[in-house]
Amino acid sequence: MRRRIAVVTGSRADFGLLSRVIAGLMAADDVECQVVATGAHLSPMHGHTVTEIEEGGVPVAWRVDLQLGADSPVETVKAMGRGVVGFADAFDALRPDIVVVLGDRYEILGAASAATVANIPVAHLHGGEISAGAVDDAIRHAVTKLSHLHFVAAEEYGQRVRQMGEEPWRVHLVGGLGVDLARHTPRATRATLEAETGYRFGPRNLVVTFHPVTLDTAHGAQELDALLTALGAVDDVHIAITLPNADVGNASIRRRVETFAAAHDHVWAFSSLGFRRYLSFVSESDGVVGNSSSGLIEAPALGVGTVNVGRRQDGRLRASSVIDCDADRDAIDAALAQLLSAPFRAGLRQIDNPYGDGGAAEQVVQVLRTVALDGLTSKSFVTHSMEGRLLKSHE
């Protein structure tokens, strides 16, 4: 009997990272891959990107509609609650042997919670990381404790997962999935991108993404205004801005970005490019700007520099191609000037990416196909000394 593996995806971002894992599972004779779409995928406001999944040849086994509407904290919590109920129905119908989740979003917490209570093993990708400027940080660590297999992107992250009491044999160091995505995704030419999106490449080009800073919403508008003002002052640069994810505060960012794009002929705003077009834009650009993790993982893998604005990604490992700056006008101006300078661009020829050299997806697929299921949900808490030495396993 084939092993049933459910892969949960809630946004354009995690689907891109999961795409090679999904492809590997679909190609395996001994696996039934069940894709469960939720979150922004089912939201017209965020591009209804479930259609992109299906048009790409990936069947969707179940849809968990969070009924995303207002982006207030109370409505987000309600959406998460609807997610738990929806995942309960999904897992009851699909009967997966393993549920695969990635990252740190609230819909992923709902999926992991439902699977754990249903006694279904949870495999978590990209755990152990830190993003100190977002509530995602707490969610990511909560999902770690709900999970039974951990696929981490760097040894430092694996150490952090083990520090949380997880048994070492459950933790697999595979590298960043974004590295695989960047290196193996076929990319479109400039002419194709222009024909498909209406964008026009200029002498220099930037790809910009700014997500809500969920632990500092009071200053989010000021940070975005500083970024947009700085971008508006850069000469001879065309800008492709991807609109934010479905976190609390995204609606205000969307309105500001759309207004900015409408007022500037050299700026285009996109609700969703899809991961193939997004990576194509990045590879054809002179830099990535904003506060998305793609600037820290995928951009370095493509040999493209990044300006990382503000604190949202504080704590993540980064390559030498990443320029960190405060979210104020002067700091952003200086960082953009460095990003576009000849000496900095020359240094991009040699980037040591802390997220590895690729091959993560294949390793994840192999473990999911072969790991023993018996007793997988029965976890022990491992206590380590301050030096990392194992002291005791608590059954």
Side-chain angles (χ1 to χ4, degrees):
M1 184 169 138
R2 293 194 300 167
R3 179 170 290 189
R4 296 184 298 271
I5 301 178
V7 182
V8 178
T9 174
S11 72
R12 67 198 186 203
D14 70 22
F15 178 71
L17 295 174
L18 288 165
S19 61
R20 287 183 59 79
V21 173
I22 292 171
L25 293 173
M26 289 178 61
D29 294 335
D30 54 353
V31 169
E32 177 187 345
C33 181
Q34 306 166 322
V35 174
V36 180
T38 186
H41 281 311
L42 306 180
S43 169
M45 180 186 301
H46 297 90
H48 200 252
T49 48
V50 66
T51 57
E52 296 178 13
I53 298 176
E54 294 174 321
E55 288 171 358
V58 176
V60 174
W62 202 272
R63 303 181 184 208
V64 176
D65 191 351
L66 306 187
Q67 301 171 37
L68 298 178
D71 64 345
S72 66
V74 65
E75 290 301 323
T76 301
V77 173
K78 290 180 180 179
M80 185 167 64
R82 288 189 287 269
V84 174
V85 173
F87 285 117
D89 290 336
F91 299 152
D92 183 56
L94 297 175
R95 301 286 175 175
D97 296 299
I98 302 174
V99 171
V100 179
V101 297
L102 184 148
D104 46 31
R105 293 191 48 75
Y106 58 84
E107 62 265 30
I108 299 306
L109 178 59
S113 299
T116 299
V117 173
N119 199 36
I120 303 169
V122 177
H124 183 209
L125 285 67
H126 276 273
E129 301 177 16
I130 289 179
S131 50
V135 69
D136 301 355
D137 208 48
I139 292 175
R140 185 186 308 107
H141 300 327
V143 173
T144 289
K145 292 309 299 178
L146 292 168
S147 299
H148 309 89
L149 293 171
H150 311 277
F151 298 96
V152 298
E155 175 54 31
E156 179 177 316
Y157 299 150
Q159 291 175 0
R160 195 169 288 124
V161 169
R162 293 189 291 271
Q163 183 183 352
M164 287 188 277
E166 296 300 292
E167 296 163 285
W169 68 266
R170 297 179 184 270
V171 184
H172 301 267
L173 172 60
V174 297
L177 289 170
V179 177
D180 283 353
L181 188 68
R183 294 190 173 182
H184 296 287
T185 299
R187 296 194 285 277
T189 64
R190 286 192 171 196
T192 298
L193 292 173
E194 290 184 339
E196 291 180 348
T197 68
Y199 182 85
R200 292 294 176 264
F201 282 90
R204 297 183 294 182
N205 300 272
L206 296 175
V207 177
V208 178
T209 306
F210 189 87
H211 294 303
V213 185
T214 49
L215 290 183
D216 192 14
T217 54
H219 296 97
Q222 297 174 12
E223 294 184 1
L224 178 60
D225 285 344
L227 174 59
L228 295 180
T229 301
L231 290 172
V234 181
D235 293 330
D236 298 323
V237 172
H238 286 198
I239 301 171
I241 305 182
T242 59
L243 295 177
N245 61 25
D247 281 339
V248 174
N250 77 86
S252 174
I253 294 176
R254 284 175 165 270
R255 289 192 297 269
R256 288 170 182 268
V257 168
E258 288 170 342
T259 299
F260 178 75
H264 295 80
D265 292 338
H266 65 291
V267 179
W268 288 258
F270 301 101
S271 179
S272 174
L273 288 169
F275 71 88
R276 292 180 179 87
R277 277 198 294 261
Y278 175 80
L279 290 172
S280 299
F281 265 102
V282 171
S283 67
E284 292 289 342
S285 77
D286 296 275
V288 171
V289 181
N291 61 6
S292 170
S293 62
S294 64
L296 277 63
I297 303 177
E298 288 93 322
L302 291 169
V304 175
T306 299
V307 169
N308 178 56
V309 179
R311 297 193 57 231
R312 189 172 185 270
Q313 300 298 337
D314 279 5
R316 286 192 193 272
L317 299 174
R318 58 253 287 138
S320 59
S321 58
V322 178
I323 304 166
D324 292 305
C325 71
D326 292 333
D328 64 69
R329 171 66 191 279
D330 291 342
I332 297 171
D333 282 344
L336 289 173
Q338 181 182 350
L339 176 73
L340 298 171
S341 69
F344 180 80
R345 294 178 60 78
L348 296 175
R349 299 189 187 100
Q350 294 182 329
I351 299 175
D352 184 15
N353 194 332
Y355 295 95
D357 298 319
E362 289 79 5
Q363 295 179 69
V364 171
V365 169
Q366 179 63 16
V367 173
L368 292 175
R369 290 176 59 195
T370 59
V371 66
L373 298 177
D374 289 345
L376 189 56
T377 57
S378 179
K379 291 173 62 174
S380 299
F381 190 98
V382 178
T383 301
H384 295 265
S385 69
M386 293 299 291
E387 296 78 25
R389 181 170 52 87
L390 189 151
L391 294 180
K392 185 177 182 182
S393 177
H394 303 270
E395 301 291 345

